[in-house]
Amino acid sequence: VEIIESIEALWAARRGVGGRLGLVPTMGALHAGHLALVERARAESDVVWVTIFVNPLQFGPREDLSRYPRDLEGDLAKLAAAGVDLVFTPPLEAIYPPDFSTRVEVHGITARLEGERRPGHFVGVATVVTKLFALTQPHRAYFGKKDAQQLRVIRRLTRDLGFPIEIVPVATVREPDGLALSSRNLYLDPAERRAATALSRALHAARAAWLAGERGGEALRNTMWSVLEAEPLARIDYVSVADDATLEECARLTGPAVASLAVFIGATRLIDNVRLADDEPDPFAGAALATHQS
Ligand code: AMP
């Protein structure tokens, strides 16, 4: 696997690409969720590039930028084993030179949920993804459904700005007990790790109610709320059942929706979601969901 740090070297590498290029942008500390994106890219592309860049612009002043997990050596070993052709690991100044002055702002769908709780987050995401798209010019780019709002923001900016890039969503990879894989799971101590199953248990309960015919937004939000409230180590940031396209909260579900939540487990903020739609495969297939609280 070729490792590149400078923009000039990346341009040169891009000129040498023959065939279809698949891009997987990440912040490193790679786990099986990231590798699922890589695997999908590998299956659909002639050349696979991964970027590893912990993007300061998408972290708030009181967030975990300085302690965000980093493991470049481990990441590179995993990516080499996964058949990745090139890894772009730019230093901060390559992405943000000192007088960097440009921002990409997606309006509307960023007003709620993560965008509301994390002011500036999606400007950071949209700006870095736009720069990575411009630098790498992939045919396809792979993003996890785990970050449901991010996926919608990236689809929107890709269409709005006219990037000739296909955005490919990839199903959330979960631990056997249902917990969505996340680099931030590394922060959890053993008791918190057990408590963290409350997120997937809440989503599972909402999906079960939806499958049983419940279409009331408030009823579905309450279902999630009561599972989370029963977990002493969990503090709810938000619980949402929103329209799949607009992310507006649903009073009644008349079409595809997305149930999502953000929950502090101790000091660690975790997010997860499930799409409530007839065409969505069971996100918990094969999971042995924990039924007890810690
Ligand atoms: P991050 O390194 O957290 O910025 O994530 C990089 C990409 O991996 C994003 O597109 C995420 O949505 C995706 N991702 C993170 N966790 C998972 C997971 N458990 N399953 C699938 N994709 C994931």
Side-chain angles (χ1 to χ4, degrees), residues 25-28 31 33-34 37 68 142-147 150 170-173 180-183:
T26 81
M27 299 203 299
H31 50 63
H34 298 112
L37 308 190
Y68 195 82
Y142 297 80
F143 293 89
K145 294 184 185 180
K146 157 95 179 346
D147 298 283
Q150 168 174 285
V170 178
T172 300
V173 177
L181 267 56
S182 163
S183 305

Side-chain angles (χ1 to χ4, degrees), residues 1-290:
V1 52
E2 186 178 0
I3 299 153
I4 280 189
E5 294 189 10
S6 84
I7 284 182
E8 293 72 18
L10 193 71
W11 285 336
R14 183 64 187 89
R15 282 191 291 272
V17 169
R20 299 187 67 79
L21 172 60
L23 177 72
V24 180
T26 81
M27 299 203 299
L30 300 181
H31 50 63
H34 298 112
L35 297 178
L37 308 190
V38 170
E39 216 170 281
R40 179 77 181 275
R42 186 68 279 170
E44 300 179 348
S45 321
D46 300 303
V47 175
V48 177
W49 287 9
V50 173
T51 64
I52 299 178
F53 179 66
V54 181
N55 175 33
L57 204 57
Q58 72 186 67
F59 286 78
R62 278 174 297 281
E63 295 181 1
D64 56 343
L65 173 63
S66 61
R67 65 182 195 116
Y68 195 82
R70 287 158 216 254
D71 176 21
L72 187 56
E73 231 175 280
D75 290 348
L76 294 175
K78 285 172 193 162
L79 295 175
V84 167
D85 297 286
L86 181 150
V87 183
F88 181 49
T89 60
L92 184 64
E93 321 79 68
I95 299 297
Y96 301 121
D99 55 352
F100 184 89
S101 323
T102 302
R103 297 290 183 277
V104 177
E105 200 166 340
V106 177
H107 292 268
I109 51 168
T110 58
R112 286 167 290 276
L113 306 174
E114 291 301 290
E116 186 177 353
R117 297 324 192 283
R118 305 181 66 188
H121 172 66
F122 284 122
V123 171
V125 169
T127 300
V128 81
V129 167
T130 298
K131 182 147 191 177
L132 292 171
F133 281 1
L135 287 169
T136 61
Q137 301 181 32
H139 296 89
R140 293 197 178 100
Y142 297 80
F143 293 89
K145 294 184 185 180
K146 157 95 179 346
D147 298 283
Q149 192 174 14
Q150 168 174 285
L151 179 59
R152 284 159 181 75
V153 169
I154 288 164
R155 275 191 173 138
R156 186 66 57 83
L157 84 79
T158 300
R159 194 213 52 194
D160 286 357
L161 299 180
F163 283 113
I165 300 172
E166 184 190 338
I167 304 302
V168 182
V170 178
T172 300
V173 177
R174 298 177 179 281
E175 299 283 2
D177 65 5
L179 177 67
L181 267 56
S182 163
S183 305
R184 290 189 168 96
N185 294 349
L186 293 168
Y187 298 147
L188 304 171
D189 71 24
E192 291 170 343
R193 171 62 187 81
R194 286 190 294 277
T197 61
L199 282 84
S200 49
R201 283 187 281 117
L203 292 169
H204 184 264
R207 185 167 182 277
W210 177 80
L211 283 173
E214 180 61 70
R215 292 295 181 271
E218 202 55 28
L220 292 168
R221 285 184 286 273
N222 286 337
T223 298
M224 294 194 277
W225 200 276
S226 36
V227 173
L228 294 167
E229 265 185 345
E231 173 48 65
L233 294 182
R235 183 165 60 80
I236 299 168
D237 193 2
Y238 66 76
V239 155
S240 162
V241 176
D243 181 87
D244 189 45
T246 64
L247 296 183
E248 307 263 13
E249 288 304 310
C250 295
R252 283 202 69 73
L253 281 65
T254 52
V258 54
S260 64
L261 36 75
V263 180
F264 285 94
I265 303 291
T268 302
R269 186 175 182 278
L270 299 177
I271 60 170
D272 198 356
N273 71 88
V274 298
R275 239 181 118 243
L276 304 175
D278 296 326
D279 62 352
E280 189 69 23
D282 179 2
F284 300 110
L289 290 181

